[in-house]
Amino acid sequence: MNTAAIHHHPDSEYAYLYTKDSMHIRLRTARADCRSVSLIHGDPYTLEEDQWHKQTTNMRKTLSTDLYDFWEVDVTAPYRRLSYGFVVTGYDGSAVFFTEHGVFPLEEQFLTMANNYFRMPFFHEIDRFKAPQWVKETVWYQIFPERFANGDTSNDPEDVLAWGSKDSPGRQDFYGGDLQGVLDNLDYLSDLGVNGLYFCPIFKAHSNHKYDTIDYLEIDPAFGDKELFRELVTECHKRGIRIMLDAVFNHIGDTSPQWLDVVENGSASRFKDWFHIHSFPVHYTKTADFEVAKDMNFDTFAFTPHMPKLNTANKEVQEYILTIAKYWISEFDIDAWRLDVANEVDHHLWKKFAEACHELKDDFYILGEVWHSSQSWLQGDEFTAVMNYSFTESITNYFLEHTISLEKFVSNLNEQLTLYRKQTNQMMLNTIDTHDTPRLLTLADGNKDLMKQVLAFLYLQQGVPCLYYGDEIGMDGGMDPDCRKCMVWEPEKQDRNMFAFMKQLIAFRLENQFTLSEGTLAWLKIDPDNGTLIFERSTPEEYLIGIFNTGDQPIQEDLSGEVSFVHLANIQKNQLTIKPKGFVIVKK
């Protein structure tokens, strides 16, 4: 047995409260190394009296990566406190007792040593990671406001271009999209079936993307005003649609009054400590790229001189940001914040931010933009979730770019799921494309069958799906700004077949939300030779089985259950024939 691979960490994703009375416990062992794992557990104060060390509870092997197997068990405790250890049995016949102090022989003298056991000292409900129920029941739709719809030409910015007049928009183009355009198309969004709108920034800013904020407390005049936004929120809530606003507190725009004061007054500016400035006056050297500079003597987002980085350790900056966070909740009843470049802001601020939001709305959703493993932000006192880029990157790598094998693909997905608590995985935002990436159809080289297969796979996973505006009608686009094209509204230019597919897929997701959010994942068949991928999402009450042909030849599988969703497949005498890029979803 490879005992060096055995791992457990208390009070983490390896041991946490799932409900107020139920604790999830996880153990890692080397892949294909252990035949069984069982848990020894009991009250910390009754080991000698009750001799609970003589009883074990079997743990189930759940997910595997290319290096490890993971074992899980759910337990309760009558007095809401727990001591626990693990009995690990290898395929070589050896058995050990794994404890807080490492590995011991499976002998009475070590089993009765109370200090050997891991502890959950008390089940504190206030510390439990909360997963808002409404988030699980949401399918988000991401809107880049400047490009969704121009509902009010009277507020168009100067030099506005005709809607969709360029095949590929430029970085500094304006087309006049606004909030009235969203309000005018709520029937369209309701018909599609989405019930959450995620807006890229709507605050006053210089650029078309609005991530260079001038004033976080004002709507950009080109988008409308506060009364229009209030009406939009009200109308969305009437339809059961939630609202998520995007803000960037890592940096501010270089046309903001705070930064302009620094430029004008240098070291005498009252805002000089709002930023990370190394000398005065502030300066940089331009390059051919508007968004890249050299020789800057102040910190910025990336190398963009127009986005000076805020000093979020400064108490005035903190109060400014917390005021903004609370204002849009208390005054306009928004339901969620999406936080841009969230990983470059200190944890100290995010803890205060989360507390301020949740004081106003218990079930408020806080989504951080983090492109890598995010455990330190997801302990329950900062973000509810992050944009699940690491998870969906694996989907892109396998289905669209063909840079990893089928086995590695499954390993990567499993690894991401084992990084977090179950309720955290239920909150993660799953999307293939955004305003920061090439569009899905472009990644699929224009193959709409492949696009449909990828979306179906994504919508069957744990986490919250998000659709980028226009994907549902077959829009394409490369890396930004090309992925930020104007929404196509002419019916004859829309792919209505794709729209019907997405409408059906969204309805399927919402109808089966409980199983897809709460259910376990089991991989039933992984065949790299022909690309067959079969997996099960299940609760005690229901089974959903996804059968995907990711290869280049038809496959055949026996049918057992009721077919709920099918694409590029035929059914004859309880046998499925699935064409390449096809899939079948079966319900039992």
Side-chain angles (χ1 to χ4, degrees), residues 500-520:
F501 173 86
M502 284 310 308
K503 184 174 179 177
Q504 182 184 3
L505 183 61
I506 291 167
F508 177 86
R509 170 75 195 197
L510 295 175
E511 289 165 5
N512 295 280
Q513 173 271 318
F514 182 80
T515 299
L516 296 173
S517 295
E518 307 281 348
T520 59

Side-chain angles (χ1 to χ4, degrees), residues 449-563:
D449 289 326
L450 176 57
M451 179 177 174
K452 291 175 181 178
Q453 185 184 61
V454 169
L455 287 166
F457 183 89
L458 185 75
Y459 278 53
L460 285 172
Q461 305 311 307
Q462 199 167 64
V464 187
C466 180
L467 182 68
Y468 188 41
Y469 82 95
D471 280 358
E472 74 278 7
I473 54 168
M475 286 179 60
D476 62 3
M479 183 60 78
D480 74 83
D482 196 46
C483 58
R484 303 170 183 179
K485 295 178 181 179
C486 293
M487 178 71 173
V488 175
W489 289 111
E490 301 91 335
E492 68 276 10
K493 295 181 181 179
Q494 295 179 341
D495 185 333
R496 300 306 295 179
N497 176 272
M498 182 65 74
F499 183 90
F501 173 86
M502 284 310 308
K503 184 174 179 177
Q504 182 184 3
L505 183 61
I506 291 167
F508 177 86
R509 170 75 195 197
L510 295 175
E511 289 165 5
N512 295 280
Q513 173 271 318
F514 182 80
T515 299
L516 296 173
S517 295
E518 307 281 348
T520 59
L521 168 66
W523 301 100
L524 305 182
K525 187 174 183 179
I526 303 166
D527 190 337
D529 292 332
N530 64 9
T532 302
L533 181 62
I534 305 177
F535 59 93
E536 176 186 272
R537 300 297 320 281
S538 64
T539 65
E541 294 78 26
E542 184 178 68
Y543 290 78
L544 290 173
I545 297 175
I547 308 170
F548 285 72
N549 181 1
T550 69
D552 55 12
Q553 297 294 325
I555 61 171
Q556 290 188 332
E557 293 290 333
D558 292 334
L559 173 63
S560 175
E562 174 189 350
V563 173

Side-chain angles (χ1 to χ4, degrees), residues 384-412:
T384 322
V386 298
M387 299 186 74
N388 207 5
Y389 283 116
S390 294
F391 188 82
T392 52
E393 182 182 19
S394 294
I395 296 174
T396 300
N397 290 160
Y398 178 68
F399 281 96
L400 302 167
E401 299 174 345
H402 313 293
T403 55
I404 59 175
S405 67
L406 181 56
E407 298 97 329
K408 184 62 176 176
F409 167 61
V410 172
S411 173
N412 287 356

